[in-house]
Amino acid sequence: MAQVSPLILVADNDPDVCVLLSDVLRMHGARTDVVPDGRAAIERLKGGDIDLLVCDLDMPHLDGEGVVQALPQCPSPPPVLIVSGFIDDATVARLHRSPHVCGVLRKP
């Protein structure tokens, strides 16, 4: 039986960031799906089958912290990697207290 590549959902309102992240992830063997905001991320996560969520903090409709808080309403919430260009230490500490957040990266 062939192994299926992980499916990573990228949630970011910047199309250039979505393209860059998707390209890098696919170069490393992952499949990707992209959504432009937090509300769309939650709707996509409700469908299941996502292995990892890469999520920006600053997005329209629902920000990254809102996505993390809404994860319990999803059937099998994946681990979340938060990426942000503007994040302070208090927010990083708060996010790390979530059982779903596996890491926080600062965008260059």
Side-chain angles (χ1 to χ4, degrees), residues 5-11 31-35 40-55 71 74-81:
S5 299
L7 178 56
I8 300 174
L9 179 62
V10 176
R31 297 172 296 139
T32 60
D33 197 355
V34 175
V35 293
I42 292 299
E43 288 306 310
R44 177 62 183 87
L45 289 168
K46 287 181 181 178
D49 80 346
I50 299 295
D51 297 300
L52 175 70
L53 170 62
V54 177
C55 186
L71 283 174
C74 298
S76 12
V80 180
L81 176 62

Side-chain angles (χ1 to χ4, degrees), residues 27-103:
M27 283 180 2
H28 290 286
R31 297 172 296 139
T32 60
D33 197 355
V34 175
V35 293
D37 61 61
R39 189 178 331 154
I42 292 299
E43 288 306 310
R44 177 62 183 87
L45 289 168
K46 287 181 181 178
D49 80 346
I50 299 295
D51 297 300
L52 175 70
L53 170 62
V54 177
C55 186
D56 188 20
L57 273 186
D58 186 24
M59 296 183 293
H61 307 297
L62 184 65
D63 66 12
E65 284 192 83
V67 170
V68 170
Q69 292 170 357
L71 283 174
Q73 66 182 294
C74 298
S76 12
V80 180
L81 176 62
I82 297 291
V83 293
S84 180
F86 307 99
I87 189 168
D88 57 42
D89 291 339
T91 303
V92 170
R94 189 170 53 252
L95 287 165
H96 276 296
R97 286 193 293 272
S98 167
H100 301 290
V101 174
C102 64

